[in-house]
Structure formats: structure tokens, C-alpha cells
Amino acid sequence: MQHPKISLTLVAAAVVLIGCGEQKKPAAKADAAMEVKIGHVAPMTGGIAHLGKDNENGARLALDQANDANIKLGGKAVKFVFMGEDDQADPKVGNLVAQKLVDAKVAGVVGHLNSGTTIPASALYTQAGIPMISGSATNPKLTEQGFKGIFRVVARDDQQGPAVASYLATQNKPKVVAVIDDATAYGEGLANEVEKTLKASGVQVLPREKGTDKTTDWKAILTKLKGKSPDAIFYGGMDATGGPLMKQARELAVKAVFAFGDGACTDKMSELAGAAAEGLLCSQAGIPPQAASKTFLDAYKAKFNVDPILYAPFTYDAANLIINAMKRADSADPAKYLPELEKGVHNGASGRIEFDSKGDRKDAEITIFVMKGGKIEPIAVVKGGKTQAYADFIKAMGG
Amino acid sequence: MNALFDTRNNPKLVWAGVAVIALTLLVLPFALAQVGTTWVRITNFAILYVLLALGLNIVVGFAGLLDLGYVAFYAVGAYTYALLASPQFGLHLPFWVILPIGAMVAAFFGVLLGTPTLKLRGDYLAIVTLGFGEIVRIFLNNLSRPVNVTNGPQGIAGIDPFSFGAFDFSKPETLFGLDWSGPIKYYYLLLAVVLMVLAVNVRLQNSRIGRAWEAVREDETAARAMGINTTRMKLLAFAMGASFGGVAGGMFSAIQGFISPESFVLVESIMVVAMVVLGGMGNIWGVVLGAVLLSFVPEILRWTVQPLQEALFGRMLVEPEVIRMLIFGLALVLVMLFRPAGLLPSAVRQRELTDERAA
Amino acid sequence: MDIFLQQVINGLTLGAVYAVVALGYTMVYGIIQLINFAHGEVVMIGAMVAFTVIGVLAPYGWPPLLVVLIGVACAIPACMLVGFTVERFAYRPLRRAPRLAPLISAIGVSIILQHLAMLIWSRNVMSFPQIIESRTYIVFGAAITNVQIAILAICVLVMAGLALLVYRTRLGTAMRATAQNPQVAGLMGVDINRVIASTFGIGAALAAIAGVMVGTYYGIAQYTMGSILGLKAFAAAVLGGIGNIPGAMLGGVLLGIVEALGAGYIGDLTNLCRYDWLASLLSERCANGGHFILFGSNYQDVFAFVVLILVLVFRPSGLLGERVGDRA
């Protein structure tokens, strides 16, 4: 979705911006660098720890780059200090580490990963006046609480769900759809939105089936569904469970089209399900990591020697949003830079970011992918309720 | 109890000790707040775990019934509070009404679990209680349909904090020239509750009921022969243990303001069992020690492992989270190897140790 | 009917996996009355070692079956080593300790193994090398894959082999004697430590086989995979009567079938809209093909535990269990 050339110019622009920022300042005294702490929270242990690491890498990269750029705020050289915390995807631990960050007087927080930990922790941050940007919490509730300084840079479930559902309904024209979820806040939330949209467009939706986020054996559920011969199956959950689901469906000769949300919209699906993954439809809130700006991808690969998995471009952007707002406000004081953060526009690794009054990303894009030859390929972009072919979207961006 | 609390031989020393402990507990949150409010929060959770461990100790330590699903009662208490004091049903009852209700509901669930398992012993009881804990969690996770009761995995948000009229436990304010943050206020409330529960436990242990439990634990058949109604005693243990869990759950709910089934997983049950066993089953002070240790050590590790590695190797080799879990696991094994009856073994248990195990 | 048959096949395969893991629990329990909580992690380590070996050998184009066998051949000693070590250092010193001490020690071991595995194999979900091409056969309208057939066959073989070992060899006799009464067995010249260590070794070898089975069947491996599998298998062992080898088999298969049929049918059966008199009460919900399902597939795990509890309430020592432990 991000054309390499465009992103190059964007980054060039960003570099110029940084340069300007430096020139504007009067010659600073050679004070010791002022430390600005930025917190990041994601699970580093447990079932989705790999995604947590991915998120952390994204934010860490942004901070390292900012440090290399020798940024000055209020005339003082600034050293950004990264504080990575593990919330174990547990709301209780989430609040503890949130408090730890508040105590450490971080200037801003990137995270958390899960909506389940982000929602309770957001109350702590907002009370302490610390801005928080999540790069991956998609549950609508987060920004519906009316808290100040709570943002997200990914599309909400109630944007993503309808997008993938209406794409499915209009392109594949199924009569009967089965909806499965993994009984987590994320999976169920997304599946509910999909079900709503499908029903509204006159598709018959079978009673919900549920596994867990650790389910490996889906055969009983799939066999039951086979008896009701749905034309399509939507699964709200992650790739670790979605892959086996699809593989087992094909083993049972279930022919339905499979659709997934962003949690299972990765190349990993073809690794996990093998040839069975061919033809799956899936959506990503925003743009896919492999479609993120090339400079970001190269820098990420160079630093961590792996490719980003899912949300790294978003946590990278979230950290940069905070840094850039600080630069514009010429201060790392949350009270001073928060207004800049609220109104700022940022062209990041995941495209153009602008916040609405709730703190959600304005006109967040949702990309629809299809699995072809073992890779997920973008085929359409849904933005503001309109579906565009991917090629057209890129062209429009370029023009 | 043990020598440390031997009031007969040295009453003055004991009172001095009590005074020191009381004073420490009183100023503790303000001292901790100097380091960081996080530590007050951690202390609050430690007190919650002390509550839980004391509750489980009644079942496991006193009555000798291994319960691996104790978190179910914690969950029941938490959800009772959340449903009666949140926008979920639009109910906002005051906490002093809900906490007793929560305790009673949890006690009811305790009896519900206890009744069918009366005949089971040892490991069979362990697996059934474990299953019970999972069943409760799965129900909480799925009771969003066909009728929405618990809001399923989305959890319940916006739970009312404790408050007396205008005095809100979650809001920071300045009283008597001191800064009272939310966690500090909760600390004193929790402290009061835990002291009450401790008192109940100490009284229970030396009461007729406590001795009856001990008899059931040591030899059920003999206990019955002595005229003890073992059925009633076992159910009473389940109910009382559960009710403490229920109270702890209600407080957890209010302090967090948000709960979801994720907080009540099997690992939590295992953690509480580990606290009881590590500290010393059946010994109230041992159980308190176990709960405090297992609550604080992982947190202390979280704060020390990373700087330590950077100082030693110049960079981070192994992530602190992994080390924390590795040390935690190792500690469980080592304590069991070298102090199998726990850090502060109960006198009775110690006696048992000298007997042949395969009786 | 073919749907029903399919569910039975699903359940049987799942049950066979449970059964092989349950055997490991039950053997150790039968001899020293210890719930080896870390057994699930040993299964995980088996899967991981095999994953690594097969991953390394896969590009050479050797016959797939040979590669998998080499994988198993490497996983078995690795798991046995883990089993011996854990027994020697975490359980043996605790044989005379109070009942709960080895249990807690086992929980500690399980945490350690899990996180060591995470250090070695990363925290990512890894796709198990799919070198055995999955073939689907249709039998009476139900699909069964070659991997499923292999799992069922291995399960029967393991069972038979174990029965031979326990009832026909000197080691088996020693094991049974130790299970009956370790003191007396010791007096009769049985080296109890060796027997117990062997039991752990055999259990670990079974865990390795189970790990490869799970990896090949589901195509994934992750460091957390052992806990839930271990839990279910443990439930299966208790269901059949812990300490009893045929019981573990029966419990595993029963649990698998209950889960499959539960997920497959209870949802429809508890859809109140299918009962006319209730449907009229719930007219709003039932209109236009609506539904009011009390227990859907979301309660899959509950069915398993409910069956377990019911069986234990009526048969407190499990289906085939003989002895009732009298220690709490």
C-alpha cells in the first residue's frame, strides 16, 4: 500500500523536518543530555509474546533513530530512553507496569498490545496526564471512554470487521456464512462486528462457534459446520490457531471460502496451513508490515535481523508521533506536547496518520488481502466505507 | 504457633515486636510511595494474595483438601462485585453491601464444589477442583450469549471504586498534610480486612472447628469415629475458604476497575497453592510469608535483572521476563528440596514428617 | 450419519493423542503416586527436538518417513534425558516429603522447562515441517487422513508394547512390585531407584512419541503447547483410573470422543428454538432462523471436565481404577 518512492520522499521530508528543528534552536549550551523516557508495554511472555517483541522492536527502532538524529528540545540535547515492560497480557500486571511507568515519569507510552490490558491501563495514564498511543489495541471501547491523551494508530474492530465482511459479501456473494472466534476479547469483538455487517447485508449467519486462543483441534467444530455447508467461514483469532483451522478444514473437504481478521492476516498462515491456505481472504487494520515504507523495513531488518510480523510499523509510528509532537512543541512535557499530538499530521511507516476527536486514526485504511502462492497479496483497500482495488489506491496515492 | 510468638515466656518482647510491626505497617505505604506508587500497588496485590492464601489455607492447610481451582471463588467474588457495581446492569450498590453478598455467593459455590466431591480424596480431588476452576472461568468467558450476563471475554469495565459518600478510595487527595494516592487509601482498607481475616483464622485454628478439621485431615475415619460430622466439617472448610476468596475477588474488582476472565486462569490457582505450600501449609504465619514472598520476589526480579545484566555483560543476554520465570521455577523446586514442609512449617506437619510417609 | 462417523474419527484421533500422553502420567503415578505436572512440558520438548531435527534433514530429500523416524529417534533420548534429570534432582529427594511438596516441585520444573524451551526455540509459533504429505481417504462418507491412521496405529502399538513390558519382562515385574509396596520390593532385591528412573524414562519416551504425533498432526509447535495438552491428558488418566495403564487408554479415547461429540452436537441440542413450546416463549429470538443456544462449542472444555466430575462422583477411583488413595 505504501509505494517505495513515496515513502522515500516522506522519510526525506521527515529528515528535513528534523534538520529544520535543529536549525531553529539557538546554540544550546553544552549541557548534559536531557533524558526523556518513553515507555512501551506488551506481553513478553506467554502465547503472543512474539507479537509483543515485534511491537517493542518497532518502538525501540524509532527511539534509536531519534537518538541518532541528535534532537534538541528547548535548546537541550535529548537522549530518549526506552523503557520496555512486560504486561504478560494480564490486565493486573498491565496496571502494575503502567504504574511503574507513571512513577518513572515517562513522557509518553507506546502500547499496550492487547485491548484487554490497554483499556484498564489507559485510566492510569490519563490520570497521570501521560499520553498513550497503542499500535495494536483495536477494541472500540479504548477510545470510547472519553479519556484525554489516549490514542491508537490502527483501525478499530468496528471499522475492520465491517470492511472485511462487506468485501466478502459483495465479492463472494455467500448465502450462508459461519462465524468462529477464539473467545478472546479481540477475536470475539471482531467476529461480532463481522456478524453484524453480514446480517445487515442479508447473509444468513450460522450460530457462533468458539474455540480458544490455544485450540489446536478444530475438527469437531468443522465437521459440525460441514453438515450445514456454509459458503464462507470467518474466523476472529490469531494465525497460530487460524492456520490449523484452515488446514483441518481442507482435510475434511470443507470447501468454504475462509476469511480472517488482522490477527491471522500474515504470511505465517501459509506456513501453518500449507497449500490449504491458498485463496483465503483477510483484512489488516491499516497497512500490512510488508507494505510499510521500505526505509522502515530495511532499518528494522538491519537492526533486529528479522522481518516485522504484524504491528511493528504501527508502534514505530506511535513512537515517532510522540517524538515529533515533542519537537513541534519544543518540549517533552506531556502537558505541552499533547495539543501538538492531538492535531498533528504524521506521514509514517504505515501511511498518513491524523487523529479524530476521540483519539482514533482518521479514515484508517483497511486492506483486504488474498493468499496467493504462499504470500498474502493486497487486493483492495477500504477507506471511509469505500472499497478500492489496491492498484487504484496506490495510483491515487501516487497522483 | 511457634517460638517467635510464645507469649507465655516473654510477653514484653512480644508486645514490643507487635508495636514495631504495627508501626511499620502503618508508615509502609508512605515510605514505599517515595520509591514509587507502583510499590504501593504491588503491596496491595500482595495483601490480596495474603487474603487468598489464608482462604486456601483453610481448605488445604487446615482440612487437608487439595484445591487446585481456588481461583474460581476469587472470580465469583470479583464478578459478583462487578455485576452489582458497574454500568453492566446499571446497578451501583455500595461496597459494604456487595462484599458480604460476594462472600456468600462464593461460599455457596464452595458448597457446590464440596458436595459432589466429599468422597474424593487426594489427587482425584485435585483434578476435580482444577476442572471446577476451569469450568467457572469458561462460563464467565461465555455467558455473553445467549443472554449477556458477564460480557464474555470483553470483560466488565467501569467498575465502581469503593467509596463512603464523597470519600472515594480511587481518587488522590491531600489529608493531614500528606498525599494520599488511590493505592495508599486502598492499602489501609486492605490492611484492615487482612487483619480481620487473620484474627478469624487464628481463632479458628484453635477452636473446636479448627481441631475438627485437623482431625479430618489426619485421619478421616478416626475423626468420624470420634463423633465429628466430617461431611459438615469439609463443607464448612470449603465454604469458609471460598468466602475469603470471594471477599478478595470483590476488592480486586474495585481496585482494578476492570475485570475479564483472563485474570482468573489456572496459573493463578497454582500460584496461590504455591504460596500456601511454600510458606508452610497449616501455619498461618507461614502462609502469610509465602504469599508476601511470591508476590514480591517476581516484582523485585523485574526491577533488578536487567540492570544487573547490563552491568555484568554490558548488554542484555536473556530478557528479564524469562529470568524472572526461571528463577521463580527454580525457587519452587529448591524450597521444596530443602524445606519440604515450607519455610515456616506448622508444628503438626513437622510431626507428620518424622512418620513414614507411606502410611 | 457420515457426520457422526466423522466426529467419532475426530474424537478417536484426539483421544489417541491424549491416551499416549496420559500413559506417561499414569505410569509415574502408579509407581510413586506423584502427579508429574511437568510431563506436558516433556511432550513439548519432544516435539521441539523432532521439529529441529526434521527441519535440518528435510532439505536433503530423503524418504519422508525415514526423516520423521530419525526425528523421533532423536526426540526419545532427549526427552528421556530430561525425564531422568527431573526425576533425579526434583523428585527423588522428595519421596518422603509431605504429599504436596513433589507437586509444587513439579510445577516449578514445568515453569523451568517451558522457559528454557522458550530460550532455545524462541517464543514464536513454529510450523512443524510438513514433509509427510497429507492424504485424505473417504470411508463411508467420512474423511480420514494417513496421519490420523498412523496416530491410531501407533497408539495401539504403544499400548501393546507397554502391556508386554509391564506384564512380560523382569523390569515390568519389578515395576509392579514397586507399585504394590516399595519397601517390600526393596527388600526382595528390587533396585527401587532404578525402577523408578526407568519408569520416568519410559514415560518420557512416550512423551517424545506423543510430541511428534501432535506436531505432525496439527502442524504447529510452540513452547506453550505442553500445558493444555498435559492438563487434558492428566484428566484422561484420572478418568480412566490413575495408575492404571488400560485406564489411561480408555480415559484418553473417551475424553477425545466426548469433546468431539460435545462440540458437535450439544450446541444444536440446547438450541431452545428447536423445542416448540420454548420457541414460542422466545419468539423474538427464534424468529427468522434465529437461535437461542445455551451451550455451544464454546463449552467444549466444560463437557470434558463435567464428564470427568460425574464419573468420579459415581466411581471415585476412575473407570478402571482399583485403589483409592487414602492420603490427602
Side-chain angles (χ1 to χ4, degrees), chain A residues 95-120:
Chain A
N95 272 12
L96 273 185
V97 294
Q99 183 73 55
K100 182 179 171 188
L101 292 177
V102 170
D103 288 346
K105 298 200 169 48
V106 293
V109 174
V110 178
H112 305 193
L113 193 157
N114 315 67
S115 298
T117 56
T118 314
I119 293 170

Side-chain angles (χ1 to χ4, degrees), chain C:
Chain C
M1 194 59 207
D2 51 346
I3 296 280
F4 179 76
L5 183 64
Q6 184 72 61
Q7 293 291 24
V8 171
I9 293 176
N10 298 338
L12 270 179
T13 324
L14 184 60
V17 174
Y18 289 158
V20 175
V21 182
L23 283 174
Y25 279 104
T26 227
M27 284 185 58
V28 167
Y29 190 91
I31 295 219
I32 51 170
Q33 285 79 51
L34 163 75
I35 302 174
N36 182 8
F37 239 94
H39 189 64
E41 311 308 333
V42 182
V43 175
M44 177 268 296
I45 287 177
M48 289 300 192
V49 170
F51 161 87
T52 311
V53 174
I54 297 177
V56 168
L57 297 181
Y60 293 98
W62 294 354
L65 199 60
L66 178 71
V67 175
V68 173
L69 285 179
I70 296 177
V72 178
C74 295
I76 288 178
C79 285
M80 286 174 83
L81 186 69
V82 173
F84 286 139
T85 316
V86 168
E87 194 275 329
R88 179 67 190 82
F89 292 104
Y91 300 151
R92 189 180 297 180
L94 290 175
R95 267 193 223 144
R96 286 174 174 278
R99 188 116 192 94
L100 272 180
L103 188 70
I104 300 293
S105 182
I107 292 170
V109 167
S110 151
I111 294 175
I112 295 173
L113 289 180
Q114 210 180 87
H115 287 86
L116 283 181
M118 181 178 134
L119 282 180
I120 301 173
W121 286 286
S122 92
R123 41 167 72 97
N124 295 325
V125 184
M126 295 179 299
S127 53
F128 209 81
Q130 296 295 297
I131 57 168
I132 293 193
E133 205 180 316
S134 169
R135 281 210 194 87
T136 305
Y137 306 97
I138 307 289
V139 187
F140 299 116
I144 184 163
T145 65
N146 48 352
V147 176
Q148 280 178 304
I149 296 172
I151 287 179
L152 291 172
I154 292 170
C155 182
V156 173
L157 281 179
V158 161
M159 177 70 196
L162 213 56
L164 275 182
L165 179 95
V166 171
Y167 294 104
R168 290 277 182 276
T169 63
R170 280 182 68 87
L171 176 64
T173 314
M175 281 163 77
R176 280 180 292 140
T178 311
Q180 291 275 328
N181 190 330
Q183 278 80 20
V184 176
L187 291 176
M188 304 297 277
V190 175
D191 183 348
I192 299 181
N193 280 337
R194 238 197 70 211
V195 170
I196 293 176
S198 315
T199 311
F200 269 88
I202 296 166
L206 291 176
I209 294 172
V212 180
M213 267 172 26
V214 174
T216 322
Y217 185 35
Y218 298 118
I220 52 169
Q222 193 184 14
Y223 77 101
T224 50
M225 68 189 274
S227 359
I228 191 94
L229 182 64
L231 193 63
K232 292 274 181 68
F234 176 44
V238 174
L239 184 62
I242 193 160
N244 182 303
I245 291 174
M249 213 67 177
L250 180 69
V253 170
L254 209 62
L255 198 66
I257 289 182
V258 163
E259 283 193 359
L261 295 184
Y265 291 99
I266 305 244
D268 285 348
L269 289 177
T270 58
N271 181 359
L272 299 189
C273 290
R274 63 183 283 145
Y275 306 105
D276 290 339
W277 57 283
L278 280 169
S280 54
L281 285 177
L282 300 161
S283 50
E284 249 177 66
R285 292 287 297 266
C286 294
N288 302 325
H291 49 81
F292 194 95
I293 293 175
L294 289 183
F295 303 105
S297 54
N298 39 350
Y299 291 97
Q300 195 172 1
D301 292 341
V302 170
F303 306 144
F305 283 121
V306 166
V307 168
L308 176 76
I309 292 177
L310 285 181
V311 168
L312 287 185
V313 166
F314 293 106
R315 274 195 68 91
S317 49
L319 288 174
L320 301 182
E322 301 123 40
R323 302 172 308 143
V324 179
D326 57 352
R327 290 174 301 255

